Amino acid sequence: MATRIPKTPSTPPAQKPAGDDGDSVVLERRPQKTAPPQMYQVVMLNDDYTPMEFVIVVLQEYFSKDRETATQIMLKIHLDGRGICGVYSRDMAATKVNQVMEAAQQAGHPLQCVSEPVA
């Protein structure tokens, strides 16, 4: 059992900041702006063997297009040789390409799909 009251530690006296001699340089903090991520477009390429109906189904299933929009994209692919299915981040575009290629392979069609950076 303690018989004495413990001493309170003494606080050092407050110090004033050193005066500015006018030679100091102050840097301002500037907020950093991050650029948005690079976007990629998923492009389907035309071939003479994949049925048009299969392309429409793929556009509806993997790109959430309605029947009319899917038909318009399919006709663009057929007439121009290529058509943009959607614009996504790099990982999402790669996933979409893999899904389309796998579905085409399972159905036995030579449909080709690629992703490329949006210019």
Side-chain angles (χ1 to χ4, degrees):
M1 183 155 129
T3 56
R4 288 201 245 162
I5 299 174
K7 293 182 180 180
T8 57
S10 62
T11 57
Q15 295 180 359
K16 290 185 178 181
D20 186 12
D21 59 0
D23 293 335
S24 300
V25 176
V26 177
L27 296 177
E28 292 183 22
R29 182 178 296 229
R30 294 184 184 141
Q32 294 180 351
K33 294 182 181 179
T34 57
Q38 173 71 45
M39 299 301 282
Y40 289 77
Q41 57 190 12
V42 177
V43 179
M44 247 187 248
L45 306 175
N46 187 40
D47 64 71
D48 294 333
Y49 303 102
T50 304
M52 293 180 180
E53 188 60 35
F54 179 77
V55 174
I56 291 172
V57 169
V58 166
L59 287 166
Q60 287 177 314
E61 186 172 334
Y62 297 111
F63 297 96
S64 302
K65 305 294 183 187
D66 59 70
R67 180 96 179 153
E68 184 176 330
T69 304
T71 303
Q72 290 174 353
I73 294 172
M74 179 274 300
L75 288 173
K76 181 155 180 59
I77 294 167
H78 181 69
L79 297 174
D80 297 344
R82 57 186 285 145
I84 299 171
C85 305
V87 177
Y88 306 95
S89 65
R90 185 180 72 193
D91 293 338
M92 195 67 187
T95 300
K96 296 285 186 184
V97 168
N98 288 339
Q99 289 174 335
V100 171
M101 297 294 287
E102 188 175 311
Q105 185 179 15
Q106 287 179 353
H109 300 301
L111 180 65
Q112 294 296 306
C113 187
V114 296
S115 67
E116 54 192 34
V118 175

